[in-house]
Amino acid sequence: MVNNLSLIREMYHTVERRVERLNKPTLCERLDAWLGEGYYFWYDKLDAHDWGKNSKNGTGEYEIYKSEVDCEDVLDTVFDEKHYRFWLKTIEQTADLIRKKTGFTPSIEEVNEYFRDRNIWGQMTGIMFQDLPANQDRIKVKKFFYKKRIQLAVYEPNIILNFEFILVQRC
Amino acid sequence: MLDLEKMQKELDDLLASETKESLLTWLRKKRVEKYDDFFGEGEYVPYYGQNIALLLEQESVPQIVDGGEDYRGDYQYSKAA
């Protein structure tokens, strides 16, 4: 019980401001989404703001929602070393095979979509992933971007335990 | 809790079953979907129809960024030339 509770994380979902408030997160179906089709969340509220300002600015304002997400069966490539090594190995193993068999190098989106399209890993409810932000305003030293920018792609919406509007802001 | 050994075996079995044809079919479909997603299905048929074979000759599909304003047409122009 304690273990399970410790894997519930509070995360943030950013959208363009709409006419009506959302009562559930929006499904990202873009084919260039890094981790494939899913419900995308930010680990850090500051990254949720950056995403709103830079990418969800079509209506001039963005909204941020907050959810608790049960990460028990999420592949956690950020904080879990075994998961990270598994992720690294399987991405490279798959990319190598696609390149060897076809002669074409796949993108990271294509490798992730390959896992989904081939319907494996049904027990995995999402992937947590990081890159490094390049926003000088977010760091307290010069040049080195030491903060992880962490995203969660949720594939099974039933692990999103709640969904709450927290703010609207001008871009 | 995820069973990583089981997941690895699932992947090993899957990859062992793939052939060049099965992977090419999947990759072609994926890249056509991506172009449709960006351009809108059918809107770029005159160019695309003539160059369908070239779509797969790319090492990877062109980078398409949010909103599409920074779409780089390197593929079209370099291949067309």
Side-chain angles (χ1 to χ4, degrees), chain A residues 30-32 55 72-73 93 101 104-105 110 113-114 117-118 121 123, chain B residues 1 7-8 10 12 14 18 20 22 26 30-31 33 37 56 59 64 66:
Chain A
R30 293 171 54 115
L31 291 166
D32 57 344
S55 296
E72 171 82 20
D73 291 318
Q93 179 185 7
K101 293 263 187 188
F104 304 119
T105 304
E110 286 170 341
E113 282 295 314
Y114 174 79
D117 291 348
R118 292 299 199 242
W121 302 347
Q123 68 272 44
Chain B
M1 182 164 294
M7 291 169 68
Q8 180 67 61
E10 277 183 61
D12 291 343
L14 172 64
E18 296 284 10
K20 177 179 178 180
S22 67
W26 169 80
K30 191 55 50 183
R31 292 188 176 183
E33 281 175 359
D37 185 53
L56 274 171
E59 263 294 283
I64 296 171
D66 205 31

PDB file of all heavy atoms in Angstrom, chain A residues 30-32 55 72-73 93 101 104-105 110 113-114 117-118 121 123, chain B residues 1 7-8 10 12 14 18 20 22 26 30-31 33 37 56 59 64 66:
ATOM      1  N   ARG A  30      -0.779  13.455 -32.393  1.00  0.00           N
ATOM      2  CA  ARG A  30       0.196  13.894 -33.400  1.00  0.00           C
ATOM      3  C   ARG A  30       1.182  12.775 -33.690  1.00  0.00           C
ATOM      4  O   ARG A  30       1.715  12.144 -32.774  1.00  0.00           O
ATOM      5  CB  ARG A  30       0.956  15.105 -32.883  1.00  0.00           C
ATOM      6  CG  ARG A  30       0.110  16.354 -32.735  1.00  0.00           C
ATOM      7  CD  ARG A  30       0.915  17.393 -32.005  1.00  0.00           C
ATOM      8  NE  ARG A  30       2.181  17.604 -32.687  1.00  0.00           N
ATOM      9  CZ  ARG A  30       2.538  18.740 -33.276  1.00  0.00           C
ATOM     10  NH1 ARG A  30       1.726  19.754 -33.266  1.00  0.00           N
ATOM     11  NH2 ARG A  30       3.696  18.850 -33.870  1.00  0.00           N
ATOM     12  N   LEU A  31       1.452  12.585 -34.959  1.00  0.00           N
ATOM     13  CA  LEU A  31       2.341  11.489 -35.339  1.00  0.00           C
ATOM     14  C   LEU A  31       3.801  11.811 -35.044  1.00  0.00           C
ATOM     15  O   LEU A  31       4.652  10.940 -35.116  1.00  0.00           O
ATOM     16  CB  LEU A  31       2.138  11.145 -36.815  1.00  0.00           C
ATOM     17  CG  LEU A  31       0.770  10.503 -37.091  1.00  0.00           C
ATOM     18  CD1 LEU A  31       0.472  10.505 -38.579  1.00  0.00           C
ATOM     19  CD2 LEU A  31       0.714   9.098 -36.537  1.00  0.00           C
ATOM     20  N   ASP A  32       4.086  13.082 -34.737  1.00  0.00           N
ATOM     21  CA  ASP A  32       5.469  13.404 -34.383  1.00  0.00           C
ATOM     22  C   ASP A  32       5.649  13.544 -32.871  1.00  0.00           C
ATOM     23  O   ASP A  32       6.675  14.026 -32.410  1.00  0.00           O
ATOM     24  CB  ASP A  32       5.938  14.664 -35.105  1.00  0.00           C
ATOM     25  CG  ASP A  32       5.069  15.867 -34.817  1.00  0.00           C
ATOM     26  OD1 ASP A  32       3.942  15.679 -34.322  1.00  0.00           O
ATOM     27  OD2 ASP A  32       5.505  16.988 -35.093  1.00  0.00           O
ATOM     28  N   SER A  55       4.277  26.719 -27.135  1.00  0.00           N
ATOM     29  CA  SER A  55       3.645  25.796 -28.087  1.00  0.00           C
ATOM     30  C   SER A  55       2.122  25.749 -28.032  1.00  0.00           C
ATOM     31  O   SER A  55       1.495  25.200 -28.926  1.00  0.00           O
ATOM     32  CB  SER A  55       4.177  24.373 -27.847  1.00  0.00           C
ATOM     33  OG  SER A  55       5.556  24.324 -28.122  1.00  0.00           O
ATOM     34  N   GLU A  72       2.541   3.127 -11.107  1.00  0.00           N
ATOM     35  CA  GLU A  72       2.964   1.764 -10.748  1.00  0.00           C
ATOM     36  C   GLU A  72       3.482   0.984 -11.966  1.00  0.00           C
ATOM     37  O   GLU A  72       4.502   0.310 -11.887  1.00  0.00           O
ATOM     38  CB  GLU A  72       1.771   1.023 -10.126  1.00  0.00           C
ATOM     39  CG  GLU A  72       1.984  -0.458  -9.891  1.00  0.00           C
ATOM     40  CD  GLU A  72       2.742  -0.742  -8.598  1.00  0.00           C
ATOM     41  OE1 GLU A  72       2.764   0.149  -7.734  1.00  0.00           O
ATOM     42  OE2 GLU A  72       3.308  -1.836  -8.470  1.00  0.00           O
ATOM     43  N   ASP A  73       2.785   1.060 -13.074  1.00  0.00           N
ATOM     44  CA  ASP A  73       3.180   0.297 -14.262  1.00  0.00           C
ATOM     45  C   ASP A  73       3.662   1.198 -15.406  1.00  0.00           C
ATOM     46  O   ASP A  73       3.528   0.859 -16.584  1.00  0.00           O
ATOM     47  CB  ASP A  73       2.013  -0.582 -14.731  1.00  0.00           C
ATOM     48  CG  ASP A  73       1.744  -1.703 -13.748  1.00  0.00           C
ATOM     49  OD1 ASP A  73       2.725  -2.307 -13.256  1.00  0.00           O
ATOM     50  OD2 ASP A  73       0.564  -1.974 -13.455  1.00  0.00           O
ATOM     51  N   GLN A  93      18.119  -1.712 -29.859  1.00  0.00           N
ATOM     52  CA  GLN A  93      17.923  -3.034 -30.472  1.00  0.00           C
ATOM     53  C   GLN A  93      16.932  -2.931 -31.635  1.00  0.00           C
ATOM     54  O   GLN A  93      17.151  -3.487 -32.718  1.00  0.00           O
ATOM     55  CB  GLN A  93      17.388  -3.986 -29.390  1.00  0.00           C
ATOM     56  CG  GLN A  93      17.101  -5.392 -29.833  1.00  0.00           C
ATOM     57  CD  GLN A  93      16.463  -6.210 -28.712  1.00  0.00           C
ATOM     58  OE1 GLN A  93      16.116  -5.689 -27.648  1.00  0.00           O
ATOM     59  NE2 GLN A  93      16.290  -7.505 -28.952  1.00  0.00           N
ATOM     60  N   LYS A 101      17.433  -4.323 -41.590  1.00  0.00           N
ATOM     61  CA  LYS A 101      16.513  -5.025 -42.502  1.00  0.00           C
ATOM     62  C   LYS A 101      16.042  -4.150 -43.661  1.00  0.00           C
ATOM     63  O   LYS A 101      15.799  -4.657 -44.757  1.00  0.00           O
ATOM     64  CB  LYS A 101      15.282  -5.505 -41.732  1.00  0.00           C
ATOM     65  CG  LYS A 101      15.555  -6.588 -40.701  1.00  0.00           C
ATOM     66  CD  LYS A 101      15.267  -7.960 -41.257  1.00  0.00           C
ATOM     67  CE  LYS A 101      15.369  -9.015 -40.156  1.00  0.00           C
ATOM     68  NZ  LYS A 101      15.280 -10.371 -40.705  1.00  0.00           N
ATOM     69  N   PHE A 104      16.810   1.874 -43.701  1.00  0.00           N
ATOM     70  CA  PHE A 104      16.364   3.208 -43.275  1.00  0.00           C
ATOM     71  C   PHE A 104      16.485   3.368 -41.772  1.00  0.00           C
ATOM     72  O   PHE A 104      16.130   2.467 -41.023  1.00  0.00           O
ATOM     73  CB  PHE A 104      14.911   3.447 -43.684  1.00  0.00           C
ATOM     74  CG  PHE A 104      14.695   3.262 -45.152  1.00  0.00           C
ATOM     75  CD1 PHE A 104      13.832   2.293 -45.612  1.00  0.00           C
ATOM     76  CD2 PHE A 104      15.372   4.050 -46.075  1.00  0.00           C
ATOM     77  CE1 PHE A 104      13.632   2.107 -46.966  1.00  0.00           C
ATOM     78  CE2 PHE A 104      15.181   3.874 -47.430  1.00  0.00           C
ATOM     79  CZ  PHE A 104      14.318   2.901 -47.882  1.00  0.00           C
ATOM     80  N   THR A 105      16.937   4.538 -41.352  1.00  0.00           N
ATOM     81  CA  THR A 105      17.063   4.808 -39.923  1.00  0.00           C
ATOM     82  C   THR A 105      15.749   5.382 -39.400  1.00  0.00           C
ATOM     83  O   THR A 105      15.293   6.408 -39.903  1.00  0.00           O
ATOM     84  CB  THR A 105      18.193   5.830 -39.666  1.00  0.00           C
ATOM     85  OG1 THR A 105      19.393   5.315 -40.237  1.00  0.00           O
ATOM     86  CG2 THR A 105      18.385   6.058 -38.179  1.00  0.00           C
ATOM     87  N   GLU A 110       9.087   6.945 -34.485  1.00  0.00           N
ATOM     88  CA  GLU A 110       8.744   5.718 -35.213  1.00  0.00           C
ATOM     89  C   GLU A 110       9.043   4.474 -34.386  1.00  0.00           C
ATOM     90  O   GLU A 110       8.267   3.512 -34.413  1.00  0.00           O
ATOM     91  CB  GLU A 110       9.503   5.681 -36.546  1.00  0.00           C
ATOM     92  CG  GLU A 110       8.913   6.662 -37.547  1.00  0.00           C
ATOM     93  CD  GLU A 110       9.770   6.849 -38.792  1.00  0.00           C
ATOM     94  OE1 GLU A 110      10.980   6.525 -38.762  1.00  0.00           O
ATOM     95  OE2 GLU A 110       9.230   7.339 -39.789  1.00  0.00           O
ATOM     96  N   GLU A 113       6.277   4.238 -31.892  1.00  0.00           N
ATOM     97  CA  GLU A 113       5.044   3.822 -32.555  1.00  0.00           C
ATOM     98  C   GLU A 113       5.109   2.348 -32.951  1.00  0.00           C
ATOM     99  O   GLU A 113       4.098   1.661 -32.971  1.00  0.00           O
ATOM    100  CB  GLU A 113       4.784   4.688 -33.787  1.00  0.00           C
ATOM    101  CG  GLU A 113       4.220   6.053 -33.462  1.00  0.00           C
ATOM    102  CD  GLU A 113       2.837   5.969 -32.840  1.00  0.00           C
ATOM    103  OE1 GLU A 113       1.991   5.220 -33.356  1.00  0.00           O
ATOM    104  OE2 GLU A 113       2.605   6.645 -31.828  1.00  0.00           O
ATOM    105  N   TYR A 114       6.306   1.893 -33.277  1.00  0.00           N
ATOM    106  CA  TYR A 114       6.468   0.478 -33.625  1.00  0.00           C
ATOM    107  C   TYR A 114       6.040  -0.402 -32.446  1.00  0.00           C
ATOM    108  O   TYR A 114       5.281  -1.368 -32.630  1.00  0.00           O
ATOM    109  CB  TYR A 114       7.929   0.199 -33.999  1.00  0.00           C
ATOM    110  CG  TYR A 114       8.227  -1.254 -34.232  1.00  0.00           C
ATOM    111  CD1 TYR A 114       7.891  -1.875 -35.431  1.00  0.00           C
ATOM    112  CD2 TYR A 114       8.831  -2.027 -33.241  1.00  0.00           C
ATOM    113  CE1 TYR A 114       8.142  -3.221 -35.632  1.00  0.00           C
ATOM    114  CE2 TYR A 114       9.091  -3.370 -33.429  1.00  0.00           C
ATOM    115  CZ  TYR A 114       8.742  -3.968 -34.628  1.00  0.00           C
ATOM    116  OH  TYR A 114       8.987  -5.305 -34.813  1.00  0.00           O
ATOM    117  N   ASP A 117       2.200  -0.108 -32.327  1.00  0.00           N
ATOM    118  CA  ASP A 117       1.515  -0.723 -33.470  1.00  0.00           C
ATOM    119  C   ASP A 117       1.583  -2.245 -33.416  1.00  0.00           C
ATOM    120  O   ASP A 117       0.659  -2.929 -33.855  1.00  0.00           O
ATOM    121  CB  ASP A 117       2.136  -0.254 -34.785  1.00  0.00           C
ATOM    122  CG  ASP A 117       1.848   1.212 -35.071  1.00  0.00           C
ATOM    123  OD1 ASP A 117       0.996   1.800 -34.379  1.00  0.00           O
ATOM    124  OD2 ASP A 117       2.489   1.777 -35.978  1.00  0.00           O
ATOM    125  N   ARG A 118       2.692  -2.759 -32.913  1.00  0.00           N
ATOM    126  CA  ARG A 118       2.854  -4.215 -32.845  1.00  0.00           C
ATOM    127  C   ARG A 118       2.221  -4.803 -31.584  1.00  0.00           C
ATOM    128  O   ARG A 118       2.292  -6.003 -31.336  1.00  0.00           O
ATOM    129  CB  ARG A 118       4.334  -4.586 -32.895  1.00  0.00           C
ATOM    130  CG  ARG A 118       5.007  -4.290 -34.244  1.00  0.00           C
ATOM    131  CD  ARG A 118       4.362  -5.067 -35.376  1.00  0.00           C
ATOM    132  NE  ARG A 118       5.203  -5.174 -36.560  1.00  0.00           N
ATOM    133  CZ  ARG A 118       4.893  -4.683 -37.750  1.00  0.00           C
ATOM    134  NH1 ARG A 118       3.764  -4.007 -37.918  1.00  0.00           N
ATOM    135  NH2 ARG A 118       5.694  -4.870 -38.790  1.00  0.00           N
ATOM    136  N   TRP A 121       3.904  -5.253 -24.906  1.00  0.00           N
ATOM    137  CA  TRP A 121       4.026  -4.565 -23.628  1.00  0.00           C
ATOM    138  C   TRP A 121       2.681  -4.009 -23.149  1.00  0.00           C
ATOM    139  O   TRP A 121       2.571  -2.858 -22.704  1.00  0.00           O
ATOM    140  CB  TRP A 121       5.045  -3.414 -23.712  1.00  0.00           C
ATOM    141  CG  TRP A 121       6.413  -3.849 -24.121  1.00  0.00           C
ATOM    142  CD1 TRP A 121       6.892  -5.134 -24.182  1.00  0.00           C
ATOM    143  CD2 TRP A 121       7.496  -3.011 -24.529  1.00  0.00           C
ATOM    144  NE1 TRP A 121       8.202  -5.135 -24.600  1.00  0.00           N
ATOM    145  CE2 TRP A 121       8.593  -3.843 -24.822  1.00  0.00           C
ATOM    146  CE3 TRP A 121       7.640  -1.636 -24.671  1.00  0.00           C
ATOM    147  CZ2 TRP A 121       9.821  -3.356 -25.250  1.00  0.00           C
ATOM    148  CZ3 TRP A 121       8.856  -1.148 -25.107  1.00  0.00           C
ATOM    149  CH2 TRP A 121       9.936  -1.995 -25.385  1.00  0.00           C
ATOM    150  N   GLN A 123       1.134  -4.507 -20.559  1.00  0.00           N
ATOM    151  CA  GLN A 123       1.060  -4.159 -19.129  1.00  0.00           C
ATOM    152  C   GLN A 123       1.614  -2.768 -18.825  1.00  0.00           C
ATOM    153  O   GLN A 123       1.420  -2.249 -17.735  1.00  0.00           O
ATOM    154  CB  GLN A 123       1.794  -5.209 -18.273  1.00  0.00           C
ATOM    155  CG  GLN A 123       3.304  -5.251 -18.430  1.00  0.00           C
ATOM    156  CD  GLN A 123       3.784  -6.171 -19.557  1.00  0.00           C
ATOM    157  OE1 GLN A 123       3.232  -6.174 -20.664  1.00  0.00           O
ATOM    158  NE2 GLN A 123       4.806  -6.946 -19.294  1.00  0.00           N
TER     159      GLN A 123
ATOM    160  N   MET B   1       3.873  -3.650 -10.853  1.00  0.00           N
ATOM    161  CA  MET B   1       5.287  -3.470 -11.215  1.00  0.00           C
ATOM    162  C   MET B   1       5.586  -4.167 -12.542  1.00  0.00           C
ATOM    163  O   MET B   1       5.142  -5.300 -12.753  1.00  0.00           O
ATOM    164  CB  MET B   1       6.181  -4.042 -10.116  1.00  0.00           C
ATOM    165  CG  MET B   1       7.652  -3.844 -10.408  1.00  0.00           C
ATOM    166  SD  MET B   1       8.695  -4.077  -8.965  1.00  0.00           S
ATOM    167  CE  MET B   1       8.184  -2.700  -7.949  1.00  0.00           C
ATOM    168  N   MET B   7       8.944  -8.411 -20.756  1.00  0.00           N
ATOM    169  CA  MET B   7       8.843  -7.410 -21.829  1.00  0.00           C
ATOM    170  C   MET B   7       9.982  -7.574 -22.827  1.00  0.00           C
ATOM    171  O   MET B   7       9.785  -7.443 -24.040  1.00  0.00           O
ATOM    172  CB  MET B   7       8.841  -5.999 -21.223  1.00  0.00           C
ATOM    173  CG  MET B   7       7.572  -5.688 -20.450  1.00  0.00           C
ATOM    174  SD  MET B   7       7.683  -4.165 -19.465  1.00  0.00           S
ATOM    175  CE  MET B   7       7.776  -2.912 -20.729  1.00  0.00           C
ATOM    176  N   GLN B   8      11.180  -7.868 -22.316  1.00  0.00           N
ATOM    177  CA  GLN B   8      12.320  -8.074 -23.222  1.00  0.00           C
ATOM    178  C   GLN B   8      12.074  -9.283 -24.124  1.00  0.00           C
ATOM    179  O   GLN B   8      12.364  -9.246 -25.322  1.00  0.00           O
ATOM    180  CB  GLN B   8      13.601  -8.279 -22.401  1.00  0.00           C
ATOM    181  CG  GLN B   8      14.846  -8.502 -23.246  1.00  0.00           C
ATOM    182  CD  GLN B   8      15.249  -7.275 -24.053  1.00  0.00           C
ATOM    183  OE1 GLN B   8      15.538  -6.226 -23.479  1.00  0.00           O
ATOM    184  NE2 GLN B   8      15.256  -7.392 -25.377  1.00  0.00           N
ATOM    185  N   GLU B  10       9.194 -10.506 -25.027  1.00  0.00           N
ATOM    186  CA  GLU B  10       8.152 -10.134 -26.007  1.00  0.00           C
ATOM    187  C   GLU B  10       8.784  -9.424 -27.199  1.00  0.00           C
ATOM    188  O   GLU B  10       8.459  -9.695 -28.356  1.00  0.00           O
ATOM    189  CB  GLU B  10       7.131  -9.190 -25.367  1.00  0.00           C
ATOM    190  CG  GLU B  10       6.040  -9.861 -24.564  1.00  0.00           C
ATOM    191  CD  GLU B  10       5.055  -8.814 -24.034  1.00  0.00           C
ATOM    192  OE1 GLU B  10       4.420  -8.100 -24.831  1.00  0.00           O
ATOM    193  OE2 GLU B  10       4.937  -8.698 -22.803  1.00  0.00           O
ATOM    194  N   ASP B  12      12.045  -9.508 -28.130  1.00  0.00           N
ATOM    195  CA  ASP B  12      12.947 -10.418 -28.852  1.00  0.00           C
ATOM    196  C   ASP B  12      12.156 -11.294 -29.820  1.00  0.00           C
ATOM    197  O   ASP B  12      12.555 -11.479 -30.975  1.00  0.00           O
ATOM    198  CB  ASP B  12      13.715 -11.307 -27.868  1.00  0.00           C
ATOM    199  CG  ASP B  12      14.733 -10.526 -27.050  1.00  0.00           C
ATOM    200  OD1 ASP B  12      15.078  -9.403 -27.445  1.00  0.00           O
ATOM    201  OD2 ASP B  12      15.168 -11.047 -26.000  1.00  0.00           O
ATOM    202  N   LEU B  14       9.206 -10.726 -31.093  1.00  0.00           N
ATOM    203  CA  LEU B  14       8.645  -9.906 -32.168  1.00  0.00           C
ATOM    204  C   LEU B  14       9.699  -9.590 -33.228  1.00  0.00           C
ATOM    205  O   LEU B  14       9.464  -9.781 -34.431  1.00  0.00           O
ATOM    206  CB  LEU B  14       8.079  -8.603 -31.585  1.00  0.00           C
ATOM    207  CG  LEU B  14       7.633  -7.557 -32.605  1.00  0.00           C
ATOM    208  CD1 LEU B  14       6.466  -8.075 -33.444  1.00  0.00           C
ATOM    209  CD2 LEU B  14       7.258  -6.253 -31.908  1.00  0.00           C
ATOM    210  N   GLU B  18      10.202 -10.541 -37.627  1.00  0.00           N
ATOM    211  CA  GLU B  18      10.105  -9.517 -38.663  1.00  0.00           C
ATOM    212  C   GLU B  18      10.954  -9.879 -39.885  1.00  0.00           C
ATOM    213  O   GLU B  18      12.031 -10.457 -39.762  1.00  0.00           O
ATOM    214  CB  GLU B  18      10.571  -8.160 -38.130  1.00  0.00           C
ATOM    215  CG  GLU B  18       9.717  -7.587 -37.016  1.00  0.00           C
ATOM    216  CD  GLU B  18       8.389  -7.005 -37.499  1.00  0.00           C
ATOM    217  OE1 GLU B  18       8.023  -7.212 -38.679  1.00  0.00           O
ATOM    218  OE2 GLU B  18       7.734  -6.338 -36.690  1.00  0.00           O
ATOM    219  N   LYS B  20      12.230  -8.184 -43.884  1.00  0.00           N
ATOM    220  CA  LYS B  20      12.428  -6.902 -44.565  1.00  0.00           C
ATOM    221  C   LYS B  20      11.089  -6.364 -45.067  1.00  0.00           C
ATOM    222  O   LYS B  20      10.777  -5.182 -44.914  1.00  0.00           O
ATOM    223  CB  LYS B  20      13.395  -7.092 -45.743  1.00  0.00           C
ATOM    224  CG  LYS B  20      13.618  -5.848 -46.559  1.00  0.00           C
ATOM    225  CD  LYS B  20      14.589  -6.092 -47.692  1.00  0.00           C
ATOM    226  CE  LYS B  20      14.765  -4.830 -48.531  1.00  0.00           C
ATOM    227  NZ  LYS B  20      15.706  -5.038 -49.644  1.00  0.00           N
ATOM    228  N   SER B  22       7.973  -7.050 -44.025  1.00  0.00           N
ATOM    229  CA  SER B  22       7.032  -6.639 -42.976  1.00  0.00           C
ATOM    230  C   SER B  22       7.434  -5.274 -42.404  1.00  0.00           C
ATOM    231  O   SER B  22       6.576  -4.427 -42.123  1.00  0.00           O
ATOM    232  CB  SER B  22       6.952  -7.690 -41.869  1.00  0.00           C
ATOM    233  OG  SER B  22       8.162  -7.781 -41.144  1.00  0.00           O
ATOM    234  N   TRP B  26       5.371  -1.624 -42.827  1.00  0.00           N
ATOM    235  CA  TRP B  26       5.014  -0.827 -41.647  1.00  0.00           C
ATOM    236  C   TRP B  26       5.604   0.579 -41.753  1.00  0.00           C
ATOM    237  O   TRP B  26       4.913   1.577 -41.514  1.00  0.00           O
ATOM    238  CB  TRP B  26       5.517  -1.526 -40.376  1.00  0.00           C
ATOM    239  CG  TRP B  26       5.402  -0.627 -39.187  1.00  0.00           C
ATOM    240  CD1 TRP B  26       4.281  -0.367 -38.453  1.00  0.00           C
ATOM    241  CD2 TRP B  26       6.434   0.205 -38.648  1.00  0.00           C
ATOM    242  NE1 TRP B  26       4.551   0.565 -37.483  1.00  0.00           N
ATOM    243  CE2 TRP B  26       5.863   0.924 -37.575  1.00  0.00           C
ATOM    244  CE3 TRP B  26       7.776   0.400 -38.966  1.00  0.00           C
ATOM    245  CZ2 TRP B  26       6.595   1.823 -36.826  1.00  0.00           C
ATOM    246  CZ3 TRP B  26       8.508   1.301 -38.216  1.00  0.00           C
ATOM    247  CH2 TRP B  26       7.915   2.011 -37.150  1.00  0.00           C
ATOM    248  N   LYS B  30       3.654   4.181 -41.944  1.00  0.00           N
ATOM    249  CA  LYS B  30       3.873   5.173 -40.892  1.00  0.00           C
ATOM    250  C   LYS B  30       4.253   6.528 -41.492  1.00  0.00           C
ATOM    251  O   LYS B  30       3.764   7.572 -41.083  1.00  0.00           O
ATOM    252  CB  LYS B  30       4.977   4.637 -39.978  1.00  0.00           C
ATOM    253  CG  LYS B  30       5.205   5.340 -38.698  1.00  0.00           C
ATOM    254  CD  LYS B  30       4.018   5.487 -37.799  1.00  0.00           C
ATOM    255  CE  LYS B  30       3.206   4.270 -37.506  1.00  0.00           C
ATOM    256  NZ  LYS B  30       2.033   4.561 -36.671  1.00  0.00           N
ATOM    257  N   ARG B  31       5.130   6.501 -42.511  1.00  0.00           N
ATOM    258  CA  ARG B  31       5.575   7.777 -43.084  1.00  0.00           C
ATOM    259  C   ARG B  31       4.494   8.425 -43.951  1.00  0.00           C
ATOM    260  O   ARG B  31       4.366   9.648 -43.971  1.00  0.00           O
ATOM    261  CB  ARG B  31       6.882   7.558 -43.851  1.00  0.00           C
ATOM    262  CG  ARG B  31       7.994   7.211 -42.870  1.00  0.00           C
ATOM    263  CD  ARG B  31       9.367   7.151 -43.454  1.00  0.00           C
ATOM    264  NE  ARG B  31      10.326   6.913 -42.364  1.00  0.00           N
ATOM    265  CZ  ARG B  31      11.636   6.860 -42.522  1.00  0.00           C
ATOM    266  NH1 ARG B  31      12.166   7.030 -43.713  1.00  0.00           N
ATOM    267  NH2 ARG B  31      12.425   6.655 -41.489  1.00  0.00           N
ATOM    268  N   GLU B  33       1.318   8.172 -43.283  1.00  0.00           N
ATOM    269  CA  GLU B  33       0.412   8.737 -42.273  1.00  0.00           C
ATOM    270  C   GLU B  33       0.942  10.073 -41.777  1.00  0.00           C
ATOM    271  O   GLU B  33       0.194  11.010 -41.558  1.00  0.00           O
ATOM    272  CB  GLU B  33       0.282   7.784 -41.081  1.00  0.00           C
ATOM    273  CG  GLU B  33      -0.657   6.621 -41.303  1.00  0.00           C
ATOM    274  CD  GLU B  33      -0.634   5.652 -40.123  1.00  0.00           C
ATOM    275  OE1 GLU B  33       0.125   5.881 -39.163  1.00  0.00           O
ATOM    276  OE2 GLU B  33      -1.363   4.651 -40.193  1.00  0.00           O
ATOM    277  N   ASP B  37      -0.902  13.546 -42.050  1.00  0.00           N
ATOM    278  CA  ASP B  37      -1.194  14.273 -40.823  1.00  0.00           C
ATOM    279  C   ASP B  37      -0.766  15.729 -40.953  1.00  0.00           C
ATOM    280  O   ASP B  37      -1.438  16.643 -40.495  1.00  0.00           O
ATOM    281  CB  ASP B  37      -0.440  13.604 -39.668  1.00  0.00           C
ATOM    282  CG  ASP B  37      -0.766  14.216 -38.321  1.00  0.00           C
ATOM    283  OD1 ASP B  37      -1.963  14.308 -38.010  1.00  0.00           O
ATOM    284  OD2 ASP B  37       0.160  14.599 -37.595  1.00  0.00           O
ATOM    285  N   LEU B  56      10.535   6.878 -49.005  1.00  0.00           N
ATOM    286  CA  LEU B  56      11.266   5.899 -48.206  1.00  0.00           C
ATOM    287  C   LEU B  56      12.766   5.962 -48.426  1.00  0.00           C
ATOM    288  O   LEU B  56      13.517   5.305 -47.745  1.00  0.00           O
ATOM    289  CB  LEU B  56      10.755   4.493 -48.512  1.00  0.00           C
ATOM    290  CG  LEU B  56       9.553   4.094 -47.676  1.00  0.00           C
ATOM    291  CD1 LEU B  56       8.969   2.795 -48.181  1.00  0.00           C
ATOM    292  CD2 LEU B  56       9.912   3.973 -46.214  1.00  0.00           C
ATOM    293  N   GLU B  59      16.566   9.131 -45.145  1.00  0.00           N
ATOM    294  CA  GLU B  59      17.060   8.492 -43.924  1.00  0.00           C
ATOM    295  C   GLU B  59      15.996   8.592 -42.832  1.00  0.00           C
ATOM    296  O   GLU B  59      15.761   7.671 -42.087  1.00  0.00           O
ATOM    297  CB  GLU B  59      18.345   9.184 -43.462  1.00  0.00           C
ATOM    298  CG  GLU B  59      19.577   8.468 -43.924  1.00  0.00           C
ATOM    299  CD  GLU B  59      19.724   7.091 -43.276  1.00  0.00           C
ATOM    300  OE1 GLU B  59      20.117   7.038 -42.118  1.00  0.00           O
ATOM    301  OE2 GLU B  59      19.436   6.074 -43.931  1.00  0.00           O
ATOM    302  N   ILE B  64       9.114  18.078 -38.534  1.00  0.00           N
ATOM    303  CA  ILE B  64       7.933  18.924 -38.575  1.00  0.00           C
ATOM    304  C   ILE B  64       7.712  19.435 -37.162  1.00  0.00           C
ATOM    305  O   ILE B  64       7.533  18.652 -36.245  1.00  0.00           O
ATOM    306  CB  ILE B  64       6.703  18.134 -39.052  1.00  0.00           C
ATOM    307  CG1 ILE B  64       6.930  17.664 -40.494  1.00  0.00           C
ATOM    308  CG2 ILE B  64       5.451  18.984 -38.956  1.00  0.00           C
ATOM    309  CD1 ILE B  64       5.892  16.696 -40.992  1.00  0.00           C
ATOM    310  N   ASP B  66       5.946  22.161 -34.212  1.00  0.00           N
ATOM    311  CA  ASP B  66       4.604  22.573 -33.856  1.00  0.00           C
ATOM    312  C   ASP B  66       4.125  23.728 -34.730  1.00  0.00           C
ATOM    313  O   ASP B  66       4.822  24.716 -34.908  1.00  0.00           O
ATOM    314  CB  ASP B  66       4.588  23.002 -32.395  1.00  0.00           C
ATOM    315  CG  ASP B  66       3.217  22.862 -31.807  1.00  0.00           C
ATOM    316  OD1 ASP B  66       2.496  21.966 -32.238  1.00  0.00           O
ATOM    317  OD2 ASP B  66       2.883  23.653 -30.929  1.00  0.00           O
TER     318      ASP B  66
END
